[in-house]
Amino acid sequence: MSEENVRVAVRVRPFNSREKTLNSSLIIDMNGNTTQITDPSGSDEPRKFTFDFSYWSHDGCKENNGYFEPDSSQPNGKKFADQKSVYNDLGVGVLDNAWGGYNSTLFAYGQTGSGKSWSMVGYGVNKGIVPLFCDNIFQQINEKKKAGDKTEFEVTFSMLEIYNEQVRDLLSKKSSRGGLKVRQHPKQGFYAHGLIVVPVDSYEEISKRMAEGTTNRTVASTNMNATSSRAHTIVGITFQQKFINAAGEETAKTAVVNLVDLAGSERAESTGATGDRLKEGAAINQSLSCLGNCIAALAEKSSGKNTRVPYRDSVLTKLLKNALGGNSKTIMIAALSPADVNFDETLSTLRYADRAKQIKTTASVNESATDKLIRELQEENDKLKLMIESGNYEMIKQDDDDDDLTDEEKKQEKEDRESEYASMLEKNKHEMEEMKKTFEQKLAERGESDTDFNAVDEKKKTIPHLYNLNQDPQLSGRIVHFLEGENIIIGSSAAEGDVGIRIVGPSIQMKHASFTLAENKWSIEPTAPHSRILHNGKAVGNKEELCHNDRLQFGTTQFFVYFNPKERDSSKINYPDISYDDAQQEVARKSGLGMDKEAKSRDEKLLQEEMVKAVPAVQQANSISEELDKKLKFEIIVVSPEGRGETKGRSIVMVKVTNLETKFEWMWPFQKLLNRMYVMQEMYDELLEGEDVKRTEEEDPFFDDMKCDFYVGSVKLWLKSMAYLIESKDQLSVCDYQGKEVGVLNYEIIPCDSKGKEYTDADDIFVEVPEELLGRPDGVHFKLKITSARGLPMRFVDVYAKYTFFNGDKVYETKRIPATNNPDWKFEMKQDQDEVTLPFLDYLKEGAIMIQIWGKQKIHKPKKHINTKDALLSSALTKGQMGAGKSKAIDTDKMKYMMEAAFLRKRQERLEQKLHAMKKMLDEAEKHNKKKISISLIKQIYNASTADAADKCIALIPQEKDDDDEDEASPSVAPVVAGDKKNGKKDKGDSSSSDSSSSSDSDSDSEKKKDPEKAKRKEEKRKRKAAKVAAKQQEKTASKNQSKLVRQNTKGKIPIVKKDGKKSSTCILL
């Protein structure tokens, strides 16, 4: 026995049609065994993972007779991994292990649509690992037989499915309620009791059995309304070699091979359903979640930690216990989507695979003498009989010892002992009997497949028929109903009488529709008043003629395609293949929900994709509500980000749920309905089986809390006024999720200081450009006052408002006001930003606070009891009995412009006031022939908060002195340079200045002769003055660029230069 790690491979597929429609970008790159994933948001560095194999199957291939092979002429042709190369690396290893007598397990993991089935099963000539393995094992057996090998080879086949924690035998048409029981054998481990295991002697036999299992899976999936992407499929192949060993004993070498196709691994939290009490309804994802827990625990265990591995928490992990931590050689292949739209799921898959490669298993050769095996089984049976007779149901420990069980688990195990031991006794007895038989005897005793698939395929070439459509492409076309005769009734499987085609599903009437043949043309018409039939997406009310490739929907879940081979062969039309998605999109387009318009942006395409999924889901929810008489109506609502009280995002599908008796409403995320749908389907299946469908409130998927808070509406409060520190007071409309006005909100936003003192007009903290706030020492502070709301819907009580600010997670809430639809909250909260950064400034300039209003709905007792089906019919739902609430986006632009208009009026008033004060100052200076005005006075006039305050400052201009002595004493004086139009003076040549200068020079020479000392003092004074003038000129040049932004904003009307910490002069140009 040797310990080895689980081998892990990852494989990336090409873009699918959905990803191409969304113009997806590639996020996966591979180099050797290294896989790199790039975050499309750019917020994180690319991440690298190393595995045993990294298979590039995204591009670099060409088609050769249907097979996709590497194309060396393409850039990635050399690294393209085709089906054969994947099989050679992984499948051949599994085959070699089987010949060596080692148990092997290969399982595929990844989100729905990532390419798991392509690697495991494949399509057409592109065979996957499972069919290639089965084909090769028989090829090698035949080669050994031809070579004269006397070994007796036995191959058996089984196929099961795990759905919603129930095990289904896919080789049995009978399906017992609750599925097969999973038992535990002391040596062989967990097994599905009663699973059919058939001996097979050729690949063709295995292929036929797989087709049978897939057909049974399709029927079960259709009848139980199950979603195949949520099911795990396990193909079990047991390979036994019987030979005479060196000691002359008959020896058996046995290998059990499990090929596992796991359910889709998409994360529920990414779809918006986090927190729902019925999340992942009815343990639909329990097995996959538990598998992740087991892999994480095993990874820790491999690193030396003493960690309990929770194998017993799910059916899947019980059956895969040997594969994960026991006697098995295990390989995992993780399928990756290459598209940016699936980044989160793909990264999650890579992390999952990275943990799996740390797991270690210890495989041993399963070889023992046949007589010894029979003797051990007999001894074990004697012990079991004794325990059953005595009633002493002691725990039987496995070879690996289950000491990790809790007391509660041990108690539960003890309670199950009696049936467990009886099952083991039966299994051992059966095994002993089988050991005594030859393989030829086993083959002779096996039952033949009930369906002759070759005969069916031949008949399909000539007879008109219906074939099914399924979400899983592998399950489409598996159910075929031939149209033979002249009149065929299609109806419920429970119907009595002459019903030719029986189907199961919500809204299927006992006699639902009839097919009639006239003049070699088949027609369809409803046979019950409210039969739901869609023909190419449109409701059928009267008889309609069918054409080849027409799509038909019966009830809410049964999709079929009408296939007429003679019409196809005689027509020149090139008919396309029809998929389940094609049929769903057609129904959605013709549902009246605006799906007929072409989506242009990615957001629009994603919305349409959600709509395609939502239409059938809501149809089915309404149908099951009718069948169970749950008094609920489900409607599709398209809600914008503003409609759900968010400042960013895209429009999404939500589901409006209405109680038809009380008119109480809930708004569900669409994923919440999908998660609960599994339990709804389970209840409907129980109804068909005649079982009690009652549930507790906690378990009932149709129940929701009537005391929960309900979203009333929201107001988008733009913050641009705060970018200029201007207060804002207004009354804005409250709009609900459909964009309808449901009331008004009164609010105030007032700038304040860090201590909360509100600024007034007298403080005049207005800034002309928001960039002045950057690095502001005091930061920005303001008060948000949510004073009241008026005219809210009267059905709400305990109304309150809440919001978040900037990038914070903190939620600010008002108090709840009971018993009124006109609440007075008188709420006040100071918002602080001590450091004004560019992101925060952008938030003020372009961002908003979304104020959401919530409340509780008044609970009214129903006036009368109603029938759900009658109520839904009378409520005038859209075509196909499916509600569709029309929604419009909130006109946020209009609100934004209204708020900006109010803010701009205030800003204009402030600027006009300053401009008017500057003009009056210049007029007053000119009036009094003032050449200079002190900077301090100019600032007082410019920054005056009111016109009166400016006038008081302007009145001081006559007192300003502008002689030389005053200038020397007060260096902070600005010269007023003006062309004096009254006196006819001009600036050209500045002759007056030149005359004055020459006069001053002659006076200076005269004074030098009369009083040399005085002349010296005057010369020094002149030099100091010249130095000051030069310094001021330099300051003006340096401040030119600094003042440019201000002049641009005010269009050059007020070119004032401010300089912190220094006195500076400026020119005011008249």
Side-chain angles (χ1 to χ4, degrees):
M1 291 192 300
S2 60
E3 189 178 63
E4 61 180 48
N5 287 72
V6 171
R7 300 175 75 198
V8 178
V10 296
R11 189 180 190 186
V12 61
R13 58 160 173 76
F15 287 130
N16 59 26
S17 57
R18 169 184 179 257
E19 291 159 350
K20 290 177 181 176
T21 301
L22 295 173
N23 296 320
S24 299
S25 58
L26 181 65
I27 58 170
I28 295 293
D29 189 23
M30 291 178 173
N31 185 14
N33 294 342
T34 301
T35 298
Q36 177 177 288
I37 183 169
T38 303
D39 187 345
S41 69
S43 60
D44 204 353
E45 291 293 319
R47 303 175 193 186
K48 293 183 179 181
F49 300 85
T50 302
F51 302 103
D52 295 287
F53 302 97
S54 289
Y55 293 119
W56 178 268
S57 301
H58 178 70
D59 59 10
C61 68
K62 62 182 178 181
E63 190 174 352
N64 183 4
N65 294 323
Y67 183 78
F68 295 102
E69 61 184 19
D71 183 2
S72 57
S73 66
Q74 296 188 36
N76 290 322
K78 291 183 179 179
K79 69 177 184 179
F80 178 80
D82 61 356
Q83 295 288 68
K84 290 177 183 176
S85 60
V86 173
Y87 174 73
N88 289 338
D89 288 337
L90 305 179
V92 170
V94 175
L95 185 61
D96 292 343
N97 291 337
W99 281 103
Y102 292 99
N103 295 336
S104 297
T105 300
L106 189 150
F107 61 96
Y109 179 88
Q111 71 179 110
T112 301
S114 60
K116 300 187 302 296
S117 297
W118 174 259
S119 294
M120 293 296 286
V121 181
Y123 300 101
V125 295
N126 295 277
K127 292 180 181 179
I129 294 172
V130 175
L132 289 174
F133 169 84
C134 296
D135 191 14
N136 283 4
I137 198 169
F138 285 108
Q139 284 182 8
Q140 294 182 12
I141 287 173
N142 292 333
E143 288 172 3
K144 286 184 177 290
K145 285 182 177 180
K146 287 179 181 178
D149 195 322
K150 299 299 182 181
T151 302
E152 186 178 338
F153 302 101
E154 295 184 9
V155 181
T156 61
F157 177 87
S158 66
M159 190 174 182
L160 65 83
E161 179 181 66
I162 301 171
Y163 180 81
N164 198 17
E165 284 300 280
Q166 295 182 10
V167 179
R168 300 179 191 159
D169 188 345
L170 294 180
L171 296 185
S172 172
K173 288 192 173 183
K174 298 177 181 178
S175 58
S176 59
R177 191 70 188 161
L180 303 179
K181 297 291 183 184
V182 175
R183 307 289 191 188
Q184 185 177 17
H185 192 278
K187 291 184 178 179
Q188 299 174 6
F190 290 102
Y191 65 96
H193 179 63
L195 180 69
I196 294 175
V197 179
V198 296
V200 288
D201 57 353
S202 67
Y203 169 68
E204 289 72 25
E205 183 64 25
I206 284 186
S207 181
K208 189 183 351 177
R209 293 293 178 175
M210 286 186 69
E212 180 185 352
T214 305
T215 300
N216 290 338
R217 181 184 174 204
T218 306
V219 173
S221 171
T222 305
N223 288 349
M224 296 183 67
N225 308 295
T227 306
S228 61
S229 64
R230 295 283 189 162
H232 315 281
T233 306
I234 301 178
V235 170
I237 296 173
T238 302
F239 178 44
Q240 191 173 66
Q241 306 167 67
K242 291 183 178 179
F243 55 92
I244 304 299
N245 65 12
E249 298 175 317
E250 185 181 85
T251 304
K253 186 188 289 185
T254 306
V256 178
V257 179
N258 287 313
L259 304 169
V260 187
D261 190 355
L262 295 172
S265 62
E266 43 275 349
R267 305 169 307 137
E269 60 267 25
S270 71
T271 54
T274 305
D276 182 28
R277 62 187 177 82
L278 284 172
K279 180 182 172 183
E280 299 174 358
I284 199 70
N285 260 359
Q286 181 176 328
S287 284
L288 206 57
S289 300
C290 185
L291 180 61
N293 295 337
C294 287
I295 286 176
L298 286 165
E300 290 185 0
K301 204 167 185 177
S302 297
S303 65
K305 293 183 180 179
N306 186 17
T307 306
R308 178 181 178 271
V309 184
Y311 293 116
R312 296 172 180 271
D313 289 356
S314 77
V315 169
L316 177 69
T317 48
K318 284 180 181 178
L319 294 176
L320 293 183
K321 182 176 181 181
N322 273 341
L324 294 170
N327 178 22
S328 177
K329 290 177 178 285
T330 302
I331 300 171
M332 171 184 174
I333 181 165
L336 308 178
S337 163
D340 57 341
V341 290
N342 296 317
F343 170 76
D344 291 332
E345 283 74 15
T346 302
L347 178 59
S348 176
T349 299
L350 286 168
R351 287 171 171 165
Y352 200 97
D354 196 51
R355 285 196 300 270
K357 73 180 185 182
Q358 301 172 42
I359 300 173
K360 291 180 170 61
T361 60
T362 305
S364 60
V365 176
N366 303 304
E367 182 176 314
S368 184
T370 306
D371 291 342
K372 181 184 177 184
L373 286 172
I374 294 175
R375 186 172 61 252
E376 288 176 350
L377 288 172
Q378 186 61 56
E379 290 173 355
E380 192 174 283
N381 266 13
D382 292 340
K383 184 179 179 182
L384 288 169
K385 286 178 183 177
L386 183 63
M387 291 172 65
I388 292 172
E389 290 170 1
S390 65
N392 181 20
Y393 302 121
E394 65 181 32
M395 296 289 288
I396 294 182
K397 294 185 178 181
Q398 282 191 277
D399 294 338
D400 59 352
D401 202 343
D402 280 335
D403 287 335
D404 58 356
L405 292 182
T406 64
D407 291 340
E408 187 175 342
E409 287 173 331
K410 288 179 180 178
K411 182 181 177 182
Q412 183 64 42
E413 280 293 304
K414 195 171 183 179
E415 291 175 356
D416 294 339
R417 279 301 105 182
E418 184 172 4
S419 60
E420 194 88 6
Y421 290 167
S423 170
M424 288 164 58
L425 195 65
E426 181 184 338
K427 179 177 175 62
N428 289 346
K429 184 179 179 181
H430 177 72
E431 284 188 11
M432 285 189 288
E433 291 174 352
E434 290 296 305
M435 284 181 187
K436 295 174 183 177
K437 295 177 183 177
T438 65
F439 189 55
E440 286 71 20
Q441 288 175 313
K442 296 175 185 177
L443 288 172
E445 292 174 0
R446 76 179 179 193
E448 292 299 323
S449 175
D450 293 337
T451 305
D452 186 345
F453 292 100
N454 291 330
V456 170
D457 288 341
E458 286 300 315
K459 195 173 180 180
K460 284 160 59 177
K461 295 177 182 178
T462 57
I463 305 298
H465 57 273
L466 306 177
Y467 68 83
N468 76 302
L469 294 176
N470 193 285
Q471 294 179 40
D472 187 342
Q474 293 184 81
L475 305 188
S476 289
R478 295 287 179 174
I479 300 175
V480 178
H481 297 293
F482 290 101
L483 301 180
E484 298 178 291
E486 294 184 354
N487 188 279
I488 301 173
I489 300 294
I490 183 170
S492 170
S493 59
E496 297 178 357
D498 188 19
V499 176
I501 299 174
R502 296 176 181 270
I503 56 178
V504 179
S507 298
I508 299 297
Q509 307 294 325
M510 289 298 176
K511 292 188 177 181
H512 197 85
S514 67
F515 293 93
T516 54
L517 179 65
E519 298 179 358
N520 293 322
K521 286 282 187 179
W522 282 98
S523 300
I524 187 172
E525 63 180 323
T527 54
H530 304 301
S531 291
R532 175 184 167 79
I533 308 167
L534 297 184
H535 178 204
N536 296 338
K538 290 187 177 181
V540 176
N542 301 302
K543 180 182 283 191
E544 294 187 10
E545 193 174 277
L546 296 176
C547 297
H548 174 71
N549 238 30
D550 280 357
R551 284 73 60 201
L552 296 171
Q553 181 181 356
F554 302 101
T556 58
T557 60
Q558 298 282 355
F559 282 88
F560 289 89
V561 174
Y562 170 71
F563 192 95
N564 190 329
K566 291 182 180 178
E567 183 180 347
R568 177 201 60 185
D569 295 341
S570 62
S571 175
K572 295 181 180 180
I573 300 173
N574 185 18
Y575 293 100
D577 293 331
I578 304 298
S579 69
Y580 179 83
D581 288 341
D582 294 333
Q584 291 281 36
Q585 289 170 11
E586 181 177 56
V587 172
R589 281 196 306 270
K590 298 181 180 181
S591 63
L593 296 171
M595 286 286 294
D596 51 342
K597 299 177 182 177
E598 183 182 357
K600 296 180 180 178
S601 68
R602 172 177 281 199
D603 286 350
E604 290 175 348
K605 291 173 182 176
L606 288 171
L607 177 61
Q608 285 200 357
E609 186 178 280
E610 288 179 2
M611 291 288 287
V612 170
K613 295 178 182 178
V615 169
V618 169
Q619 290 173 351
Q620 190 174 355
N622 277 324
S623 294
I624 297 177
S625 179
E626 286 181 15
E627 300 282 356
L628 301 178
D629 196 19
K630 282 295 184 176
K631 324 293 185 190
L632 292 184
K633 178 178 74 173
F634 298 86
E635 300 174 81
I636 291 176
I637 304 289
V638 178
V639 187
S640 66
E642 293 83 1
R644 55 185 187 269
E646 299 174 4
T647 55
K648 56 186 178 181
R650 64 175 179 85
S651 295
I652 62 172
V653 171
M654 298 188 74
V655 180
K656 179 182 175 184
V657 185
T658 306
N659 186 302
L660 296 168
E661 288 184 334
T662 64
K663 305 304 178 186
F664 203 91
E665 294 179 1
W666 296 270
M667 288 294 294
W668 287 3
F670 175 51
Q671 187 63 34
K672 182 174 180 177
L673 174 66
L674 288 184
N675 288 337
R676 292 186 170 214
M677 183 61 67
Y678 301 111
V679 195
M680 294 180 185
Q681 292 167 347
E682 191 177 79
M683 292 177 69
Y684 177 72
D685 296 335
E686 291 171 358
L687 178 72
L688 295 181
E689 295 287 333
E691 299 178 13
D692 186 5
V693 297
K694 289 183 179 179
R695 293 282 197 281
T696 64
E697 288 184 351
E698 283 297 311
E699 297 172 336
D700 190 349
F702 292 95
F703 175 81
D704 212 341
D705 187 8
M706 297 183 74
K707 296 180 181 178
C708 65
D709 290 339
F710 189 88
Y711 173 71
V712 180
S714 59
V715 173
K716 198 168 189 178
L717 193 59
W718 296 97
L719 296 173
K720 197 163 189 175
S721 64
M722 283 301 100
Y724 296 87
L725 298 181
I726 297 177
E727 73 281 354
S728 176
K729 301 179 182 179
D730 209 342
Q731 184 180 80
L732 297 176
S733 297
V734 178
C735 297
D736 68 2
Y737 56 85
Q738 289 181 291
K740 297 176 182 177
E741 182 177 329
V742 291
V744 293
L745 179 87
N746 296 303
Y747 78 94
E748 297 179 22
I749 300 182
I750 303 174
C752 64
D753 63 17
S754 59
K755 296 182 180 179
K757 180 184 176 183
E758 295 178 9
Y759 289 123
T760 64
D761 288 343
D763 296 304
D764 194 38
I765 58 166
F766 165 74
V767 294
E768 294 175 14
V769 287
E771 284 70 18
E772 292 182 33
L773 298 177
L774 290 172
R776 195 168 185 258
D778 296 335
V780 170
H781 311 272
F782 64 87
K783 287 184 179 179
L784 173 59
K785 298 181 180 181
I786 306 175
T787 55
S788 62
R790 294 291 181 263
L792 299 177
M794 296 184 68
R795 64 190 181 98
F796 294 107
V797 295
D798 293 342
V799 180
Y800 68 101
K802 65 179 182 179
Y803 68 93
T804 58
F805 178 67
F806 194 30
N807 293 326
D809 295 326
K810 183 178 179 181
V811 177
Y812 301 92
E813 289 188 10
T814 68
K815 59 185 177 182
R816 296 172 182 255
I817 307 297
T820 180
N821 64 328
N822 297 306
D824 289 310
W825 290 302
K826 299 178 182 177
F827 172 85
E828 181 179 304
M829 179 60 62
K830 182 166 70 75
Q831 305 295 162
D832 299 302
Q833 187 69 19
D834 295 326
E835 182 182 357
V836 180
T837 59
L838 274 173
F840 181 74
L841 189 63
D842 291 339
Y843 176 65
L844 292 183
K845 289 162 62 178
E846 303 296 336
I849 292 176
M850 186 66 79
I851 300 176
Q852 300 179 3
I853 299 177
W854 293 74
K856 295 185 184 297
Q857 298 177 76
K858 294 179 182 177
I859 301 176
H860 301 287
K861 291 184 178 181
K863 295 181 180 179
K864 61 178 181 178
H865 294 287
I866 62 171
N867 176 271
T868 306
K869 183 176 289 188
D870 294 339
L872 287 175
L873 287 172
S874 63
S875 64
L877 300 177
T878 57
K879 292 180 180 180
Q881 302 176 344
M882 200 277 306
K886 292 185 178 180
S887 141
K888 63 176 181 178
I890 297 174
D891 192 356
T892 53
D893 288 341
K894 182 178 179 181
M895 286 189 171
K896 184 178 181 180
Y897 294 149
M898 288 171 61
M899 292 187 70
E900 283 191 351
F903 145 72
L904 288 172
R905 282 196 299 270
K906 292 184 178 180
R907 183 168 178 255
Q908 187 66 22
E909 289 172 3
R910 296 289 182 92
L911 292 175
E912 286 180 354
Q913 175 186 310
K914 292 179 183 294
L915 184 61
H916 185 65
M918 290 292 99
K919 188 174 183 305
K920 288 181 70 175
M921 177 192 74
L922 296 175
D923 290 343
E924 188 70 12
E926 194 171 28
K927 176 181 176 182
H928 294 282
N929 294 319
K930 290 293 180 181
K931 297 178 182 178
K932 302 171 185 175
I933 302 175
S934 65
I935 292 295
S936 60
L937 183 58
I938 295 173
K939 286 182 177 180
Q940 290 175 31
I941 296 169
Y942 181 75
N943 293 324
S945 57
T946 63
D948 289 342
D951 289 343
K952 289 179 180 178
C953 295
I954 291 171
L956 298 175
I957 289 177
Q959 302 175 23
E960 291 285 286
K961 296 181 179 181
D962 53 5
D963 56 80
D964 287 342
D965 292 337
E966 184 65 28
D967 182 49
E968 184 180 359
S970 305
S972 183
V973 175
V976 180
V977 183
D980 193 341
K981 295 179 182 178
K982 293 181 181 179
N983 299 323
K985 293 181 181 179
K986 296 182 180 178
D987 291 338
K988 271 187 180 179
D990 200 6
S991 59
S992 61
S993 175
S994 177
D995 294 342
S996 173
S997 178
S998 61
S999 173
S1000 174
D1001 290 340
S1002 62
D1003 290 344
S1004 177
D1005 292 338
S1006 176
E1007 286 178 4
K1008 280 181 184 179
K1009 294 177 181 179
K1010 293 181 180 178
D1011 191 346
E1013 197 65 34
K1014 184 177 180 182
K1016 184 179 179 181
R1017 287 197 304 270
K1018 271 208 165 189
E1019 181 63 20
E1020 289 175 352
K1021 179 180 176 182
R1022 187 184 67 77
K1023 288 180 179 179
R1024 287 196 304 271
K1025 185 175 180 181
K1028 286 180 182 179
V1029 171
K1032 289 174 184 176
Q1033 187 61 39
Q1034 288 177 355
E1035 287 182 7
K1036 285 199 294 180
T1037 302
S1039 64
K1040 184 176 182 181
N1041 291 333
Q1042 185 181 356
S1043 62
K1044 185 177 180 181
L1045 184 61
V1046 177
R1047 289 201 302 275
Q1048 286 176 343
N1049 260 276
T1050 55
K1051 301 193 187 310
K1053 295 178 182 176
I1054 314 173
I1056 303 297
V1057 177
K1058 299 180 180 180
K1059 209 166 172 66
D1060 295 337
K1062 294 181 181 179
K1063 293 183 179 180
S1064 174
S1065 62
T1066 185
C1067 290
I1068 302 175
L1069 305 177
L1070 292 179

